[in-house]
Amino acid sequence: MHRRPLLARAIAAAACALLSPLALAQAYPAKPIALIVPNPPGGLVDTSARIVADSLGKVLNQSVVVDNRGGGSGNVAYGFVARAPADGYTLLTSYSAYHVGNPSLSPRLPWAQKDFTPIALVTVATNVIAAHPSVPANNLQEFIAHLKKNPGRLSYASQGNGSVSHIGTEMFKAQTGTSMVHIPYKGSGDAIRDVLSGQVQVFMTTPPSVMGHVQQGKLKGFAVTGKTRHPGLPSVPTTAEAGLKGFELESWVAIFAPAGTPPDVVDKLTTGIRQALDSPEAKTRATTAGIELRYQPPAALDAMVKSETEFWAKTIKAANITAD
Protein backbone atom coordinates (compact mmCIF):
# COMPACT_ATOMS: atom_id res chain seq x y z
CA MET A 1 0.00 0.00 0.00
CA HIS A 2 3.01 2.26 0.40
CA ARG A 3 4.51 1.50 -3.00
CA ARG A 4 2.26 3.81 -5.02
CA PRO A 5 3.23 7.01 -3.10
CA LEU A 6 6.89 6.03 -3.43
CA LEU A 7 6.44 5.42 -7.15
CA ALA A 8 4.72 8.80 -7.56
CA ARG A 9 7.58 10.57 -5.80
CA ALA A 10 10.09 8.79 -8.01
CA ILE A 11 8.23 9.88 -11.14
CA ALA A 12 8.09 13.47 -9.85
CA ALA A 13 11.83 13.43 -9.13
CA ALA A 14 12.54 12.18 -12.62
CA ALA A 15 10.37 14.94 -14.08
CA CYS A 16 12.27 17.56 -12.10
CA ALA A 17 15.53 16.17 -13.42
CA LEU A 18 14.25 16.57 -16.96
CA LEU A 19 13.50 20.23 -16.21
CA SER A 20 17.06 20.94 -15.07
CA PRO A 21 18.88 23.90 -16.66
CA LEU A 22 20.76 21.51 -18.94
CA ALA A 23 17.57 19.89 -20.15
CA LEU A 24 15.92 23.28 -20.68
CA ALA A 25 18.95 24.49 -22.62
CA GLN A 26 18.80 21.42 -24.85
CA ALA A 27 15.15 22.18 -25.58
CA TYR A 28 15.92 25.84 -26.38
CA PRO A 29 14.25 27.64 -28.07
CA ALA A 30 10.76 26.52 -27.15
CA LYS A 31 9.10 29.91 -27.75
CA PRO A 32 9.71 33.11 -29.77
CA ILE A 33 12.90 35.10 -29.15
CA ALA A 34 12.79 38.89 -28.86
CA LEU A 35 15.59 41.01 -30.32
CA ILE A 36 15.41 44.34 -28.49
CA VAL A 37 16.63 47.25 -30.64
CA PRO A 38 17.71 50.51 -28.92
CA ASN A 39 16.74 52.60 -31.96
CA PRO A 40 13.57 53.39 -33.92
CA PRO A 41 13.03 51.57 -37.24
CA GLY A 42 15.52 52.45 -39.97
CA GLY A 43 19.28 52.78 -39.92
CA LEU A 44 22.14 50.39 -39.21
CA VAL A 45 21.00 48.84 -35.93
CA ASP A 46 17.39 48.16 -36.91
CA THR A 47 18.38 46.85 -40.35
CA SER A 48 21.01 44.56 -38.82
CA ALA A 49 18.50 43.22 -36.32
CA ARG A 50 15.99 42.39 -39.04
CA ILE A 51 18.60 40.60 -41.15
CA VAL A 52 19.60 38.52 -38.13
CA ALA A 53 16.03 37.89 -36.99
CA ASP A 54 14.78 36.54 -40.30
CA SER A 55 17.75 34.26 -40.97
CA LEU A 56 18.20 33.12 -37.35
CA GLY A 57 14.53 32.22 -37.12
CA LYS A 58 14.96 29.78 -40.01
CA VAL A 59 18.11 28.28 -38.49
CA LEU A 60 16.51 27.75 -35.06
CA ASN A 61 13.08 26.89 -36.47
CA GLN A 62 11.56 29.46 -34.13
CA SER A 63 10.22 33.00 -34.48
CA VAL A 64 12.68 35.80 -33.78
CA VAL A 65 10.84 39.10 -33.32
CA VAL A 66 12.35 42.60 -33.56
CA ASP A 67 11.19 44.90 -30.75
CA ASN A 68 12.20 48.57 -31.17
CA ARG A 69 12.60 50.38 -27.84
CA GLY A 70 14.29 53.66 -28.71
CA GLY A 71 14.93 56.48 -26.30
CA GLY A 72 17.42 57.67 -23.73
CA SER A 73 20.40 57.25 -26.07
CA GLY A 74 19.85 53.52 -25.96
CA ASN A 75 19.45 53.32 -22.20
CA VAL A 76 15.76 52.35 -22.33
CA ALA A 77 16.48 49.18 -24.28
CA TYR A 78 19.70 48.36 -22.44
CA GLY A 79 18.04 48.70 -19.05
CA PHE A 80 15.13 46.54 -20.20
CA VAL A 81 17.37 43.68 -21.34
CA ALA A 82 19.62 43.98 -18.26
CA ARG A 83 16.56 43.26 -16.09
CA ALA A 84 15.14 40.49 -18.31
CA PRO A 85 15.28 36.80 -17.35
CA ALA A 86 18.57 35.17 -18.34
CA ASP A 87 16.89 32.46 -20.40
CA GLY A 88 17.87 33.39 -23.95
CA TYR A 89 14.46 34.69 -24.97
CA THR A 90 15.24 38.41 -24.59
CA LEU A 91 18.36 39.56 -26.46
CA LEU A 92 19.93 42.97 -26.99
CA THR A 93 20.87 44.25 -30.44
CA SER A 94 23.72 46.43 -29.24
CA TYR A 95 25.06 49.52 -31.00
CA SER A 96 28.77 50.22 -30.59
CA ALA A 97 28.45 53.84 -29.45
CA TYR A 98 25.89 53.00 -26.79
CA HIS A 99 27.73 49.93 -25.52
CA VAL A 100 31.23 51.41 -25.27
CA GLY A 101 30.42 55.13 -25.20
CA ASN A 102 27.56 55.51 -22.75
CA PRO A 103 29.56 54.32 -19.71
CA SER A 104 31.81 57.37 -20.16
CA LEU A 105 28.96 59.74 -20.97
CA SER A 106 26.55 58.94 -18.14
CA PRO A 107 27.76 58.18 -14.61
CA ARG A 108 24.33 56.83 -13.58
CA LEU A 109 23.27 54.34 -16.24
CA PRO A 110 20.38 51.91 -15.62
CA TRP A 111 22.76 49.15 -16.78
CA ALA A 112 26.42 48.16 -16.79
CA GLN A 113 28.48 46.18 -19.29
CA LYS A 114 28.68 43.35 -16.76
CA ASP A 115 24.90 42.96 -17.04
CA PHE A 116 25.32 41.37 -20.49
CA THR A 117 26.77 38.17 -21.89
CA PRO A 118 28.33 38.50 -25.36
CA ILE A 119 26.76 36.32 -28.04
CA ALA A 120 28.18 37.46 -31.39
CA LEU A 121 29.28 40.41 -33.47
CA VAL A 122 26.99 40.53 -36.50
CA THR A 123 27.58 43.61 -38.66
CA VAL A 124 29.89 46.57 -39.17
CA ALA A 125 29.53 49.68 -41.30
CA THR A 126 31.67 52.57 -42.35
CA ASN A 127 30.23 56.07 -42.12
CA VAL A 128 29.45 58.57 -44.85
CA ILE A 129 30.04 62.31 -44.54
CA ALA A 130 26.93 63.58 -46.31
CA ALA A 131 25.43 67.04 -46.80
CA HIS A 132 22.39 68.74 -48.25
CA PRO A 133 22.87 69.99 -51.84
CA SER A 134 22.60 73.58 -50.62
CA VAL A 135 26.06 73.30 -49.04
CA PRO A 136 28.39 75.08 -51.52
CA ALA A 137 31.08 72.41 -51.74
CA ASN A 138 31.82 69.62 -54.19
CA ASN A 139 34.42 67.65 -52.24
CA LEU A 140 35.69 67.18 -48.70
CA GLN A 141 38.39 69.85 -48.87
CA GLU A 142 35.93 72.43 -50.19
CA PHE A 143 33.51 71.42 -47.43
CA ILE A 144 36.15 71.89 -44.74
CA ALA A 145 37.12 75.26 -46.22
CA HIS A 146 33.48 76.35 -46.20
CA LEU A 147 33.11 75.34 -42.55
CA LYS A 148 36.20 77.34 -41.61
CA LYS A 149 34.85 80.43 -43.35
CA ASN A 150 31.46 80.02 -41.68
CA PRO A 151 32.06 78.80 -38.11
CA GLY A 152 28.86 77.69 -36.39
CA ARG A 153 26.68 78.55 -39.39
CA LEU A 154 25.94 74.93 -40.35
CA SER A 155 24.27 72.29 -38.20
CA TYR A 156 24.79 68.55 -38.14
CA ALA A 157 22.42 65.74 -37.21
CA SER A 158 23.09 62.72 -35.03
CA GLN A 159 21.07 59.73 -33.86
CA GLY A 160 21.34 61.09 -30.34
CA ASN A 161 23.84 62.21 -27.74
CA GLY A 162 26.66 59.70 -27.51
CA SER A 163 25.90 58.07 -30.85
CA VAL A 164 28.71 57.34 -33.31
CA SER A 165 27.41 60.13 -35.53
CA HIS A 166 27.67 62.54 -32.59
CA ILE A 167 31.08 61.48 -31.33
CA GLY A 168 32.44 60.96 -34.83
CA THR A 169 31.41 64.42 -36.02
CA GLU A 170 32.93 65.99 -32.90
CA MET A 171 36.16 64.14 -33.72
CA PHE A 172 35.94 65.48 -37.28
CA LYS A 173 35.47 69.03 -35.98
CA ALA A 174 38.44 68.70 -33.65
CA GLN A 175 40.73 67.30 -36.34
CA THR A 176 39.74 69.89 -38.96
CA GLY A 177 39.45 72.89 -36.65
CA THR A 178 35.86 73.56 -37.69
CA SER A 179 32.61 74.36 -35.92
CA MET A 180 29.03 73.11 -36.44
CA VAL A 181 25.93 73.08 -34.25
CA HIS A 182 24.81 69.66 -32.99
CA ILE A 183 21.14 68.71 -33.50
CA PRO A 184 20.44 65.35 -31.81
CA TYR A 185 17.57 63.08 -32.87
CA LYS A 186 16.13 59.86 -31.51
CA GLY A 187 17.21 57.83 -34.52
CA SER A 188 18.25 57.91 -38.16
CA GLY A 189 14.72 58.21 -39.54
CA ASP A 190 13.94 61.62 -38.05
CA ALA A 191 17.49 62.85 -38.66
CA ILE A 192 17.58 62.00 -42.36
CA ARG A 193 14.15 63.59 -42.90
CA ASP A 194 15.40 66.97 -41.71
CA VAL A 195 18.71 66.67 -43.58
CA LEU A 196 16.84 65.93 -46.81
CA SER A 197 14.65 68.98 -46.26
CA GLY A 198 17.68 71.19 -45.58
CA GLN A 199 16.67 72.09 -42.02
CA VAL A 200 19.95 70.46 -40.97
CA GLN A 201 22.81 70.48 -43.43
CA VAL A 202 25.20 67.68 -42.47
CA PHE A 203 24.92 64.05 -41.36
CA MET A 204 27.79 61.65 -40.73
CA THR A 205 26.15 58.24 -40.52
CA THR A 206 26.18 54.67 -41.76
CA PRO A 207 25.28 53.79 -45.40
CA PRO A 208 21.74 52.42 -44.77
CA SER A 209 20.51 55.91 -43.89
CA VAL A 210 22.06 57.89 -46.75
CA MET A 211 23.31 55.57 -49.50
CA GLY A 212 20.17 55.71 -51.64
CA HIS A 213 19.88 59.49 -51.27
CA VAL A 214 23.52 60.00 -52.33
CA GLN A 215 23.02 57.68 -55.29
CA GLN A 216 19.96 59.70 -56.35
CA GLY A 217 21.70 63.05 -55.93
CA LYS A 218 19.47 64.14 -53.05
CA LEU A 219 22.54 64.42 -50.81
CA LYS A 220 26.22 65.06 -51.45
CA GLY A 221 28.61 62.34 -50.33
CA PHE A 222 31.97 63.92 -49.48
CA ALA A 223 33.77 60.85 -48.12
CA VAL A 224 33.44 57.47 -46.45
CA THR A 225 35.33 56.99 -43.21
CA GLY A 226 36.73 53.51 -43.83
CA LYS A 227 40.00 52.22 -45.24
CA THR A 228 38.38 51.36 -48.57
CA ARG A 229 35.56 52.78 -50.69
CA HIS A 230 32.08 51.46 -50.11
CA PRO A 231 30.80 49.17 -52.90
CA GLY A 232 27.44 50.97 -52.94
CA LEU A 233 29.15 54.36 -53.30
CA PRO A 234 32.11 53.66 -55.59
CA SER A 235 32.50 57.30 -56.65
CA VAL A 236 32.76 58.57 -53.05
CA PRO A 237 36.41 58.65 -51.88
CA THR A 238 37.72 57.58 -48.52
CA THR A 239 38.70 60.31 -46.10
CA ALA A 240 42.36 59.53 -46.79
CA GLU A 241 41.82 59.82 -50.55
CA ALA A 242 39.96 63.09 -49.97
CA GLY A 243 42.93 64.57 -48.10
CA LEU A 244 41.94 63.90 -44.49
CA LYS A 245 44.38 61.20 -43.42
CA GLY A 246 44.06 59.56 -40.03
CA PHE A 247 40.30 60.03 -39.72
CA GLU A 248 38.47 56.69 -39.74
CA LEU A 249 35.17 55.77 -38.11
CA GLU A 250 33.40 52.42 -38.03
CA SER A 251 30.18 51.36 -36.32
CA TRP A 252 29.28 47.84 -35.25
CA VAL A 253 26.24 45.90 -34.11
CA ALA A 254 26.39 42.85 -31.84
CA ILE A 255 24.00 40.56 -29.98
CA PHE A 256 24.12 40.23 -26.20
CA ALA A 257 22.05 38.28 -23.67
CA PRO A 258 21.42 39.07 -20.00
CA ALA A 259 24.28 38.03 -17.74
CA GLY A 260 23.86 34.53 -16.37
CA THR A 261 22.36 33.06 -19.54
CA PRO A 262 23.18 29.30 -19.55
CA PRO A 263 26.35 28.46 -21.56
CA ASP A 264 24.50 25.93 -23.69
CA VAL A 265 21.98 28.59 -24.73
CA VAL A 266 24.83 31.00 -25.54
CA ASP A 267 26.51 28.29 -27.64
CA LYS A 268 23.30 27.55 -29.52
CA LEU A 269 22.71 31.23 -30.22
CA THR A 270 26.23 32.05 -31.39
CA THR A 271 26.34 28.95 -33.60
CA GLY A 272 22.91 29.80 -35.00
CA ILE A 273 23.91 33.40 -35.71
CA ARG A 274 27.07 32.28 -37.51
CA GLN A 275 24.98 30.00 -39.72
CA ALA A 276 22.36 32.73 -40.24
CA LEU A 277 24.94 35.30 -41.38
CA ASP A 278 26.37 32.77 -43.81
CA SER A 279 23.02 32.32 -45.57
CA PRO A 280 22.61 33.71 -49.11
CA GLU A 281 19.54 35.66 -48.03
CA ALA A 282 21.41 37.49 -45.25
CA LYS A 283 24.32 38.28 -47.57
CA THR A 284 22.03 39.69 -50.25
CA ARG A 285 20.09 41.87 -47.82
CA ALA A 286 23.27 43.18 -46.21
CA THR A 287 24.82 44.07 -49.56
CA THR A 288 21.66 45.89 -50.63
CA ALA A 289 21.62 47.87 -47.37
CA GLY A 290 25.32 48.72 -47.54
CA ILE A 291 26.19 46.73 -44.42
CA GLU A 292 29.09 44.33 -43.96
CA LEU A 293 28.33 41.04 -42.22
CA ARG A 294 31.17 40.23 -39.82
CA TYR A 295 30.77 37.39 -37.35
CA GLN A 296 32.84 37.19 -34.18
CA PRO A 297 32.29 34.66 -31.35
CA PRO A 298 31.72 35.70 -27.71
CA ALA A 299 35.38 35.79 -26.60
CA ALA A 300 36.49 37.99 -29.50
CA LEU A 301 33.49 40.29 -29.02
CA ASP A 302 34.23 40.62 -25.30
CA ALA A 303 37.85 41.57 -26.03
CA MET A 304 36.76 44.16 -28.59
CA VAL A 305 34.31 45.73 -26.13
CA LYS A 306 37.05 46.13 -23.52
CA SER A 307 39.48 47.66 -26.02
CA GLU A 308 36.96 50.07 -27.53
CA THR A 309 35.61 51.14 -24.15
CA GLU A 310 39.09 52.41 -23.27
CA PHE A 311 39.45 54.16 -26.66
CA TRP A 312 36.05 55.89 -26.50
CA ALA A 313 36.62 56.97 -22.90
CA LYS A 314 39.75 58.85 -24.01
CA THR A 315 38.02 60.25 -27.11
CA ILE A 316 34.97 61.49 -25.20
CA LYS A 317 37.13 63.14 -22.56
CA ALA A 318 39.40 64.78 -25.15
CA ALA A 319 36.42 66.17 -27.11
CA ASN A 320 34.60 67.21 -23.91
CA ILE A 321 31.45 65.37 -25.05
CA THR A 322 28.57 65.07 -22.58
CA ALA A 323 25.25 63.23 -22.62
CA ASP A 324 23.30 66.51 -22.43
Side-chain angles (χ1 to χ4, degrees), residues 98-184:
Y98 295 157
H99 205 105
V100 301
N102 281 11
S104 294
L105 288 167
S106 303
R108 296 181 180 179
L109 293 174
W111 59 274
Q113 289 180 350
K114 63 181 178 61
D115 293 332
F116 305 107
T117 295
I119 302 296
L121 177 72
V122 292
T123 65
V124 296
T126 185
N127 285 263
V128 183
I129 302 175
H132 188 265
S134 63
V135 176
N138 295 311
N139 56 55
L140 186 62
Q141 289 304 315
E142 290 181 2
F143 174 57
I144 293 171
H146 177 70
L147 290 175
K148 289 183 176 180
K149 291 179 181 179
N150 300 274
R153 296 288 297 275
L154 271 66
S155 57
Y156 77 88
S158 81
Q159 292 101 336
N161 291 317
S163 64
V164 169
S165 57
H166 177 203
I167 296 172
T169 308
E170 290 298 319
M171 291 169 58
F172 172 83
K173 287 166 53 181
Q175 185 167 333
T176 59
T178 56
S179 174
M180 288 184 283
V181 177
H182 177 214
I183 309 296

Side-chain angles (χ1 to χ4, degrees), residues 7-21:
L7 179 60
R9 285 196 293 270
I11 293 173
C16 289
L18 290 174
L19 293 175
S20 67

Side-chain angles (χ1 to χ4, degrees), residues 237-257:
T238 65
T239 46
E241 291 174 331
L244 187 62
K245 296 183 179 180
F247 183 81
E248 294 179 2
L249 188 68
E250 188 176 73
S251 304
W252 53 259
V253 176
I255 305 299
F256 290 79

Side-chain angles (χ1 to χ4, degrees), residues 55 59-60 269-280 282 295:
S55 296
V59 171
L60 298 180
L269 281 169
T270 191
T271 299
I273 289 173
R274 178 177 55 79
Q275 294 173 357
L277 297 182
D278 199 39
S279 69
Y295 168 81

Side-chain angles (χ1 to χ4, degrees), residues 24 37 70 91 96 174 176 190 233 309 317:
L24 287 173
V37 178
L91 306 177
S96 52
T176 59
D190 290 341
L233 297 168
T309 299
K317 183 177 181 180

Side-chain angles (χ1 to χ4, degrees), residues 50-83:
R50 294 179 190 280
I51 291 173
V52 171
D54 292 345
S55 296
L56 182 61
K58 294 175 182 177
V59 171
L60 298 180
N61 195 30
Q62 183 58 263
S63 297
V64 181
V65 181
V66 173
D67 183 353
N68 297 87
R69 291 177 180 256
S73 295
N75 293 324
V76 172
Y78 280 68
F80 177 80
V81 177
R83 297 186 297 271

